[in-house]
Amino acid sequence: MNHSFVVHVPDAELEPEPLSPDQIVSGSPEVTGKVLWESPDGGQVRGIWQMTPGVVTDTEADELFVVVSGSATIEVAGGPTLRVGPGDLAVLKEGDRTTWTVHETLRKVYSINLGQA
């Protein structure tokens, strides 16, 4: 999208984003998402992401997100444990190693900074 826009996040249709099997710790979580905007250099991405209940690991990018629905606990290796739910804003640092325990299907809107592409 090249222009200003609005998206009703709770009803937005998302596309499958399969997890790598080595990321799944427990359960059968499914991830879906949609990129809504990407900078011309690929350094910034904004979109919607959703995960069904389960436990997965990840290595984070520089990300700010707001939870729209659902709940999760995010354990940051060597750092805090974040409990997030509707209306919460969270920030993850690039390189954070995390374990996500999604209790109730989590939907978030995010802004990721990837640096220069």
Side-chain angles (χ1 to χ4, degrees), residues 10 19 25 27-29 33-34 40 52 60 68 76 78 85 90 96:
L19 289 163
V25 176
S28 300
K34 181 173 189 157
T52 62
E60 302 299 333
V68 175
V76 179
D96 277 351

Side-chain angles (χ1 to χ4, degrees), residues 46-101:
R46 297 179 185 145
I48 303 168
W49 182 90
Q50 179 172 287
M51 185 176 133
T52 62
V55 181
V56 301
T57 59
D58 200 8
T59 301
E60 302 299 333
D62 176 23
E63 177 181 2
L64 176 145
F65 68 87
V66 175
V67 176
V68 175
S69 60
S71 64
T73 302
I74 307 162
E75 297 175 57
V76 179
T81 296
L82 311 173
R83 290 172 182 78
V84 297
D88 289 336
L89 179 146
V91 175
L92 298 172
K93 289 184 356 189
E94 182 175 0
D96 277 351
R97 293 190 162 291
T98 56
T99 301
W100 290 70
T101 302

